[in-house]
Amino acid sequence: MKDADNDRQGLGREIERLERRIQGLQAESTSLVEKLIESRRSEESLSETLVGYQRGLEGSGISLAILDAEMTVLDANEAIERLTGYKLIELRDRMRWTDLVDPADGPRLDFFLRMRAENPEKPPANYEFRIRDKAGNLRSVIVNVRPLPRSIKYVATFIDVSLLKSTEQALRDTEDRYLALFNSSLDLIFLVDFEGQFLDANKRALDLLGYSRHEIGDVRLATILEPEDMKQALHLASLFYQQGRYDETTQWRLRCRDGRHVWVELTGSRVDREGKPYAVIGIARDVTERRKADKALRSSEQRFRAMFDHASEMIFIHDMAGRFIDMNDRSLKLLGCTRADLRNITLRDIIDIEDLGRATEGMGRLFSEGASVGPVELRLRLEDGTRRWMEVSTVRLDLGDESYVALGIARDVSARKEAEDKLRSAEMHLRASQKMEAVGRLAAGLAHEFSNLLNVVGGHAELSLDGLHPEDPLRESLEEIRKASRNGAALTKQLLAFSSSQFMRPEVVDLNSCVRSAGTMLGRLIGENIEFITRLEEVGKVMADPAQMEQVILNLAVNARDAMPEGGKLVIETYDADLDDDYTASHAGVAKGSYVILAVTDTGQGMDEYTVQHIFEPFFTTKDSEMVAGMGLSTVFGIVRQSGGNVWVYSEPGKGSTFKIYLPRLDTDEPTTRDSAPDLAALVGVETILVVEDEDMVRNIVTLTLREHGYTVLEARNAEEALEVFAKRKGFIDVVVSDVIMPGMSGRDLAERLASEHGHTRVLLMSGYPGTAAEHKQLVARGVAFLSKPVAARTLVAKVREILDSPVPGR
């Protein structure tokens, strides 16, 4: 484009030079004619005058001729021979100059002659004709014909402008060619001055930017560039101004008229005019789609790399010699190496020697035949020295020129292999677990029936004791009966705990008190060869069941003892902690907040990572599975989670273990206290109570106890009877006391029915086998009270009085 512009400038300068020359010749010829006319006025002879002026015109390039009235050439200078190709002797008195005019210019000639005839004193001047010389070539000439005073002759001058015309045509042809190239280019081409003003732009640039050709002159760089790009644009313009060109390709974001943005790749150079910097001609290629494609490719590569690096399976690439080229992060971690080490590692370094032959055979088949290999199971030697079973699949990738690499994926199937090896052992554990589950259901059923009997025995013993004189000889026997009943109640709780049907009784607890309470028996439990240390700080209160928290401490202490068969040190600590986002981000399941931490640390054998990951799973144990059920730490985990807390374990082989219990810290520092035994004389009432119980003995003792305290008692043997009684006495029943497990509709269903049909009914459920803790929580959430059988008379009337004295639900 720069060469074309230089050509155009050169042609322009040549045309200007020729035009000045023609103007000079015209002026010179006019002067000569005027002198000729003047000489005639002085009555000089025509021939002498012509001879003198002919010599003056010989070197000028102007052809001069004397014509008669018919335009016949009477005489001429030698220049006319060069113009026409005819000798003077062939022209004189023989040829009219008008005979030389090309027939195509006949109309112009007719007009010229007519105008000359109409105004002979002022004939048309500087008329252009094409004449055909003797050789047949067309020549463009400018003709002037002037009359000679006091004569019928004329003097004519002919100026050859053929070179000028051919030069103009060549310029037009060149301009047309370059304009065609300019506008048909698929690239954007534009001319911008050093003030940032657009001077011109091709069709592609106009179409893309959204401007017409007459509008582009009003557009500036600031119109199409973003403000933040202007500083760089001014710097680039400075480089063009100083250096003439800038060889590096730059990319720019252009703002189109409709608000769209396009990206272009720009090259350019400086255009000079009269030796001074004039403008910058730029050639820009639209790379918007290419940038989108590049961005999509980079995004695709990033996604592939992300999947490659973060895949849970091992992914690797190796050459035909088995040398590794690349691996994902999982592979590097398992093998304990970095990418810089890859070239020094081969398949032989990581495959178990027993499986190397199969691997080598498969690799040879892969590269020779191109068929994929796998999945095959191989053992890999990992960085920690362990051997893991991997399921490996490999495909061949063609790099061209008969060069290949292999892409492999290895999935850890060690767990599956171990599961297959331990299948028989797992079946034995399953049968044992099913037996324990059946025993648990039996124990729960026995606890239910036993609690009903104890409820009758204990209830009658308490009623009898209340009616006896303090010195009555029967009191001692009845006291023994009541004591036996209470011992039996403790036994039912143990059965319920065995069957996982116990309830938590959370209260505000000081963990230090739980540690001290459990510490009284820890000395006997852990043995003399273990040093027992407590480090108890002043800590906040937590909401937990104190008995179960003591069970947590005892279970952790027993676990620590078993980890130190040769003796060691057991440390129990408590302290407050505020866990922030950084901590919770690295400890899954732990929420941000304030906690009281119970830490139990031993100096025992410690655990590997695999054991730590499975330590809280039911029935998982590192001890003799025939001697230990593996439920101790599972129980710890369940109690802590049920209390709203978390358990975290830190351990390494040979470095002992630390179990940390995180329990949410309460705002209050006031511990709850258990209610003291109420005074039976203060628990009397006059309200109406409906007792629902399928066991006659239990129903009778509950009814008798409540009536002894002044209540009006209605009886029902099941839920259906209870609904009938409730319908007849609707509005007069203050509390419904019901067993949970009954034939037909259960106590829970009865409570749900009464809540839906009579929303303000107060219900107290009793059972020796209440079901799961989750079910109990649901009842409490609905406002249903609960007592666990066997129930002492004092506890029953106290709970009934508590319910009656509390606000009615829903009001």
Side-chain angles (χ1 to χ4, degrees):
M1 189 64 191
K2 183 176 179 181
D3 294 339
D5 192 69
N6 290 336
D7 291 343
R8 292 173 63 185
Q9 292 181 4
L11 288 171
R13 287 193 294 270
E14 182 63 20
I15 290 172
E16 290 176 359
R17 187 185 66 78
L18 290 173
E19 288 177 345
R20 287 194 300 270
R21 177 60 176 163
I22 289 171
Q23 291 173 359
L25 291 174
Q26 288 176 339
E28 187 176 353
S29 66
T30 300
S31 175
L32 289 173
V33 170
E34 289 176 350
K35 289 181 179 180
L36 179 61
I37 294 171
E38 182 62 29
S39 68
R40 288 296 297 159
R41 289 174 181 169
S42 302
E43 296 183 352
E44 297 176 1
S45 67
L46 177 61
S47 57
E48 292 177 356
T49 302
L50 285 174
V51 170
Y53 286 110
Q54 283 176 358
R55 293 194 186 98
L57 290 175
E58 286 301 329
S60 67
I62 297 176
S63 300
L64 180 69
I66 303 299
L67 310 175
D68 63 12
E70 300 301 325
M71 297 292 110
T72 302
V73 177
L74 300 177
D75 200 358
N77 64 351
E78 292 181 2
I80 201 137
E81 293 182 349
R82 294 191 296 273
L83 176 65
T84 64
Y86 292 97
K87 298 295 185 181
L88 284 177
I89 193 171
E90 295 177 283
L91 292 173
R92 289 187 181 124
D93 300 324
R94 296 182 181 183
M95 186 175 292
R96 295 179 297 178
W97 77 268
T98 55
D99 295 336
L100 301 175
V101 175
D102 187 70
D105 288 348
R108 289 172 58 82
L109 179 61
D110 292 341
F111 177 80
F112 174 80
L113 295 175
R114 187 169 64 252
M115 294 298 294
R116 185 189 66 79
E118 293 176 357
N119 193 357
E121 295 298 326
K122 292 183 178 180
N126 298 331
Y127 239 73
E128 182 180 335
F129 297 99
R130 287 173 296 175
I131 65 173
R132 192 173 298 276
D133 63 13
K134 187 175 182 179
N137 300 318
L138 285 176
R139 311 286 291 271
S140 293
V141 296
I142 293 177
V143 179
N144 280 291
V145 178
R146 294 288 186 91
L148 290 174
R150 295 181 296 277
S151 172
I152 59 173
K153 296 182 176 60
Y154 298 87
V155 61
T157 58
F158 303 89
I159 301 174
D160 188 356
V161 293
S162 299
L163 177 60
L164 175 63
K165 299 297 288 186
S166 62
T167 302
E168 287 178 342
Q169 185 61 46
L171 177 60
R172 283 194 295 271
D173 293 343
T174 301
E175 287 179 340
D176 290 343
R177 286 196 299 273
Y178 279 109
L179 186 61
L181 291 173
F182 183 69
N183 283 321
S184 63
S185 173
L186 296 178
D187 293 331
L188 288 71
I189 306 175
F190 50 84
L191 193 67
V192 182
D193 66 19
F194 288 99
E195 298 298 323
Q197 184 73 47
F198 274 85
L199 303 177
D200 199 1
N202 70 339
K203 185 176 184 302
R204 173 62 174 160
L206 295 173
D207 292 344
L208 187 65
L209 296 177
Y211 295 96
S212 64
R213 184 166 298 281
H214 73 273
E215 291 173 326
I216 197 66
D218 297 326
V219 177
R220 301 183 64 85
L221 278 178
T223 308
I224 65 170
L225 290 181
E226 294 299 325
E228 58 268 23
D229 295 336
M230 281 302 299
K231 183 177 180 181
Q232 183 181 357
L234 293 175
H235 174 69
L236 186 61
S238 175
L239 293 178
F240 279 122
Y241 190 90
Q242 296 171 6
Q243 302 175 10
R245 62 183 301 114
Y246 184 67
D247 294 331
E248 295 185 15
T249 300
T250 57
Q251 289 194 354
W252 299 84
R253 185 175 58 161
L254 305 184
R255 184 171 58 244
C256 300
R257 190 172 191 174
D258 59 6
R260 292 180 301 109
H261 284 86
V262 295
W263 281 93
V264 298
E265 198 171 67
L266 175 70
T267 59
S269 61
R270 189 182 70 196
V271 175
D272 294 342
R273 175 175 285 183
E274 296 180 358
K276 295 181 181 180
Y278 169 63
V280 173
I281 184 167
I283 300 177
R285 177 160 297 173
D286 185 354
V287 294
T288 306
E289 294 302 321
R290 190 183 77 188
R291 283 178 63 92
K292 290 180 180 178
D294 290 344
K295 184 177 179 180
L297 178 60
R298 288 193 300 271
S299 178
S300 175
E301 290 174 346
Q302 290 170 356
R303 288 195 300 271
F304 172 77
R305 192 72 210 187
M307 290 187 292
F308 180 80
D309 285 335
H310 296 94
S312 57
E313 291 85 5
M314 295 179 65
I315 305 178
F316 51 85
I317 300 173
H318 64 79
D319 62 15
M320 299 174 67
R323 291 187 299 267
F324 285 105
I325 300 172
D326 198 3
M327 285 185 181
N328 67 341
D329 292 344
R330 175 64 174 169
S331 302
L332 296 173
K333 182 178 179 180
L334 288 176
L335 298 178
C337 62
T338 65
R339 284 191 171 84
D341 303 327
L342 288 182
R343 279 293 178 178
N344 299 322
I345 302 176
T346 68
L347 286 174
R348 291 176 175 80
D349 297 322
I350 67 170
I351 297 178
D352 190 89
I353 189 66
E354 296 180 9
D355 300 326
L356 187 57
R358 288 191 298 122
T360 303
E361 178 186 354
M363 187 173 67
R365 189 169 65 254
L366 173 72
F367 286 115
S368 62
E369 302 175 7
S372 60
V373 175
V376 296
E377 292 180 352
L378 302 170
R379 282 166 292 185
L380 300 187
R381 298 194 300 271
L382 304 185
E383 184 267 343
D384 59 3
T386 61
R387 284 170 169 76
R388 306 288 289 176
W389 279 100
M390 297 288 177
E391 188 177 75
V392 183
S393 298
T394 311
V395 296
R396 189 181 76 177
L397 302 180
D398 189 354
L399 302 182
D401 298 329
E402 297 185 355
S403 179
Y404 309 102
V405 295
L407 171 65
I409 300 178
R411 178 174 299 163
D412 190 346
V413 294
S414 300
R416 189 188 73 194
K417 296 290 289 186
E418 292 174 3
E420 292 172 353
D421 294 339
K422 297 179 179 179
L423 179 60
R424 287 186 297 274
S425 176
E427 291 175 348
M428 293 176 59
H429 280 293
L430 176 61
R431 288 195 294 269
S433 175
Q434 291 172 339
K435 181 180 70 174
M436 293 301 293
E437 183 180 353
V439 173
R441 289 196 297 268
L442 175 62
L446 290 175
H448 171 65
E449 298 299 330
F450 192 35
S451 65
N452 282 338
L453 294 175
L454 291 174
N455 210 57
V456 174
V457 174
H460 280 289
E462 290 194 13
L463 288 176
S464 298
L465 285 169
D466 290 340
L468 287 180
H469 189 276
E471 302 299 330
D472 193 305
L474 290 176
R475 176 172 287 280
E476 183 178 354
S477 296
L478 290 173
E479 288 284 1
E480 289 298 322
I481 293 173
R482 184 168 65 176
K483 182 179 179 182
S485 174
R486 290 175 177 173
N487 291 337
L491 177 59
T492 59
K493 290 181 179 180
Q494 291 178 357
L495 289 173
L496 289 173
F498 176 75
S499 62
S500 300
S501 299
Q502 62 182 347
F503 292 140
M504 290 189 66
R505 300 180 182 275
E507 58 183 76
V508 179
V509 174
D510 181 357
L511 274 184
N512 289 344
S513 299
C514 294
V515 174
R516 295 187 187 100
S517 178
T520 57
M521 71 173 68
L522 283 180
R524 297 189 300 272
L525 190 65
I526 62 177
E528 295 180 355
N529 63 337
I530 295 177
E531 181 183 1
F532 177 47
I533 301 172
T534 58
R535 297 170 183 161
L536 309 180
E537 298 182 3
E538 290 295 328
V539 294
K541 303 300 187 294
V542 298
M543 181 64 71
D545 186 323
Q548 291 198 6
M549 290 311 302
E550 291 178 16
Q551 184 67 40
V552 167
I553 296 169
L554 292 174
N555 283 6
L556 291 175
V558 170
N559 186 73
R561 178 202 63 190
D562 295 342
M564 298 183 289
E566 305 299 325
K569 183 185 295 185
L570 172 64
V571 180
I572 298 180
E573 304 172 87
T574 59
Y575 54 91
D576 289 336
D578 294 315
L579 306 184
D580 56 16
D581 291 330
D582 291 339
Y583 185 90
T584 57
S586 59
H587 292 73
V590 180
K592 176 182 177 181
S594 301
Y595 290 84
V596 178
I597 297 180
L598 169 68
V600 179
T601 302
D602 65 66
T603 58
Q605 299 168 347
M607 298 174 285
D608 58 24
E609 182 180 354
Y610 178 81
T611 303
V612 170
Q613 291 175 352
H614 296 274
I615 194 67
F616 296 113
E617 295 179 2
F619 303 110
F620 179 82
T621 179
T622 58
K623 305 165 190 174
D624 187 346
S625 60
E626 296 183 0
M627 301 297 295
V628 180
M631 290 293 293
L633 293 179
S634 299
T635 302
V636 169
F637 184 82
I639 293 173
V640 173
R641 295 288 290 182
Q642 194 172 356
S643 301
N646 291 277
V647 186
W648 211 264
V649 59
Y650 307 84
S651 185
E652 293 183 33
K655 295 185 179 181
S657 303
T658 296
F659 288 81
K660 290 187 177 181
I661 310 298
Y662 296 79
L663 295 175
R665 190 168 73 237
L666 301 177
D667 295 333
T668 179
D669 289 331
E670 294 296 328
T672 58
T673 57
R674 297 185 182 274
D675 295 335
S676 59
D679 182 6
L680 286 178
L683 300 178
V684 295
V686 295
E687 291 87 350
T688 299
I689 301 173
L690 173 59
V691 176
V692 188
E693 172 62 64
D694 62 308
E695 291 286 344
D696 293 339
M697 290 188 298
V698 177
R699 187 176 66 255
N700 290 338
I701 189 59
V702 171
T703 300
L704 182 58
T705 300
L706 294 173
R707 284 174 178 164
E708 284 288 327
H709 289 77
Y711 296 101
T712 299
V713 181
L714 305 177
E715 299 182 50
R717 288 173 295 180
N718 52 51
E720 287 76 9
E721 279 189 18
L723 291 173
E724 293 176 2
V725 173
F726 198 90
K728 293 177 182 178
R729 302 293 298 273
K730 181 179 179 182
F732 296 95
I733 297 176
D734 299 290
V735 178
V736 176
V737 178
S738 175
D739 189 20
V740 173
I741 299 177
M742 297 182 295
M745 186 184 298
S746 69
R748 289 190 186 85
D749 295 336
L750 175 61
E752 294 280 357
R753 181 82 170 268
L754 292 174
S756 63
E757 296 179 1
H758 312 283
H760 304 316
T761 304
R762 291 177 280 203
V763 180
L764 170 62
L765 294 180
M766 300 188 302
S767 180
Y769 179 49
T772 66
E775 292 170 339
H776 176 61
K777 284 185 176 180
Q778 292 174 357
L779 292 173
V780 173
R782 297 188 185 102
V784 178
F786 180 82
L787 285 177
S788 181
K789 292 180 180 181
V791 182
R794 188 185 303 274
T795 304
L796 174 62
V797 294
K799 191 66 175 178
V800 169
R801 189 69 261 166
E802 177 189 333
I803 295 172
L804 289 169
D805 292 340
S806 63
V808 178
R811 289 186 180 175

